[in-house]
Amino acid sequence: MKLSWRTVLLWSFPILIIGFFLWQGTLANPTGVDNNRNVAASRMTYGRFLNRLEAGQITAVDFYEGGRTAIVQALEPELSDGVLRARVDLPGNMTELIGNLKEKHVSFDIHPPRPESALWGILGNLIFPVLLIGGLFLLFRRSGNAPGGPGQAMNFGKSKARFQMEAKTGVMFDDVAGIDEAKEELQEVVTFLKKPERFTAVGARIPKGVLLVGPPGTGKTLLAKAIAGESGVPFFSISGSEFVEMFVGVGASRVRDLFKKAKENAPCIIFIDEIDAVGRQRGAGIGGGNDEREQTLNQLLTEMDGFEGNTGIIIIAATNRVDVLDAALLRPGRFDRQVMVDPPDIKGRLEVLNVHARNKKLAEDIKLEVIARRTPGFTGADLANLLNEAAILTARRRKEAITMSEIDDAVDRVIAGMEGTPLVDSKSKRLIAYHELGHAIIGTLIKEHDPVQKVTLIPRGQARGLTWFAPDEDQGLISRAQLKARITGALGGRAAEDVIFGDAEVTTGAGNDLQQVTGMARQMVTRFGMSDLGPLSLEGQQSEVFLGRDLMTRSEYSDEIASQIDAQVRVIVEACYQDACRIVQENRGVIDRLVDLLIEKETIDGDEFRQIVAEYAEVPEKERYVPQL
Ligand code: ADP
Ligand code: ZN
């Protein structure tokens, strides 16, 4: 169990409540009325008491509880000693009653709480805080025994570090595939950890920090674990976001704890995921800096400088964005090595698939090469996820082994989300069919566009219909003609709605398409110099606004240029839209036929689609890069 202050607060509530009830219920009865052993067993109502008082039968009254109850003695000839003792609950106003008693010369007395009940009272008041403290103490003790490390939790100024430690990761380099360059560079780190003498003997300084740079899911964590696994050293890990807490100082103390533990366990690996969460440029936040983050970062820098290079601690950090990191982190002696971890190419994908197919049952017909070809842009995590989804589908379909049909469905699912149920035939289904065929026909007839893989009316994720294109493996450089083809293709949906149903009937279905279109056109103007503004870079890499730094450097151009950019974007999109509408109009005949077919079959695959289109128009041959495997 991990103990944080939140847990303590959570637990102290029930304890508080239990304590309160105990206090109220059993211990806090300081009156002593019931303890009066004057055998006040019988009770008398107030009315009857008054009657007896009037009749002159009451001989004595003893008040308790500040006048709320009284033990009265009444003459009762029938009883052996001739006196009845009874308890009366008084409705209030003891003074009036006392006046009455005096008048009738009845003896009375007022009893303060008895000393022993006063003691009970004090105990009663004490028991509640004692229980609370005792409960908290037990909790702390329990957490002290947890693997997080004994005694830490009693340390109030220090937060319990939320790092994990794995004595043995069990991951080896063999489990990491498709990122060979990164593996090779890190092989050296394994040697540092295993045979430091080799380096220290010749006076080499062992690096302290390695920065793994790459998009999520490419295997950075896996790689760091593999280094620990290969070297046989413990693996400490924490995520940058865990450092950044609400309370100032907590992050810094976590860093301190982490390094303390690591030093005790050296040689070891410290892995810091998402280091950009703490390592952002200082003073870059909107509205001034973030004290907590800066303190944490400073502490991290201090710790990194604080140990000698050869203590055997190697810090591996992962990020997708080196550009936002504080320069101090990248200085020599800190994260001075950077290793790129890119999404795998086709060969890499095949290797990753091989690794993850080890423990899966695949049907004979499955060729991992085919899957690798179909999945450009997939990361290692996507591929692992793909095979897992396929295995789940196989189990659900009660098959013995994964076949190509499960793989196909899993690919679609990983890319576009869960499959929904198709619409029944209706006007909006026809509209969606025309929209998708607009994309598909333009994609087919423009030479530079990726070829259609399939068109479907089966909804997935957010999309109500989908046109799949087969991306080219070689995604290196993109030409202006390709960009224009993509923009035109993306506008195809709206163009078809417009041409076929008319201006007033166009729908919101093109929202997503238009967003992409605008993005692409804008980049053509501002980043790639593909407009009349000439070969100028007017904007850096598009990045989120929340980084204050970007806000400050954003306007590299004047307002006048800004409006020129807008105008150029409009020119590009306008021209592409004209083109899209023209293509739809010119091919109205085949589109109408394809719509009927699509509504009937729900899905048309690329080859069939091209065959039908070829009966009406000339389908250009597409240049494809087919890598060797
Ligand atoms: P990152 O840290 O880069 O976001 P992870 O290392 O957490 O990515 O990857 C998540 C999972 O995806 C891994 O546990 C592994 O199953 C799979 N995976 C990712 N990359 C690879 C790879 N290169 N080789 C094998 N499996 C991978
Ligand atoms: Zn669309």
Side-chain angles (χ1 to χ4, degrees), residues 435-436 439 465-467 489-494 497 509-514:
H435 177 111
E436 293 309 326
H439 289 307
L466 280 167
T467 308
L491 287 167
R494 167 54 65 85
E497 289 180 29
N512 240 331
D513 299 336
L514 299 185

Side-chain angles (χ1 to χ4, degrees), residues 317-377:
T319 182
N320 191 17
R321 312 209 46 191
V322 223
D323 55 318
V324 305
L325 290 185
D326 197 287
L329 268 176
L330 307 175
R331 259 184 227 137
R334 292 168 183 164
F335 293 103
D336 46 5
R337 288 199 173 199
Q338 287 185 21
V339 175
M340 302 303 289
V341 186
D342 291 320
D345 60 5
I346 186 165
K347 232 172 116 255
R349 293 199 298 275
L350 181 57
E351 286 166 24
V352 176
L353 286 169
N354 268 316
V355 167
H356 288 278
R358 277 189 214 150
N359 58 357
K360 305 253 170 3
K361 238 178 145 179
L362 301 180
E364 308 257 307
D365 71 325
I366 289 216
K367 292 216 171 42
L368 294 179
E369 294 82 1
V370 179
I371 307 175
R373 273 189 205 289
R374 270 204 60 188
T375 46

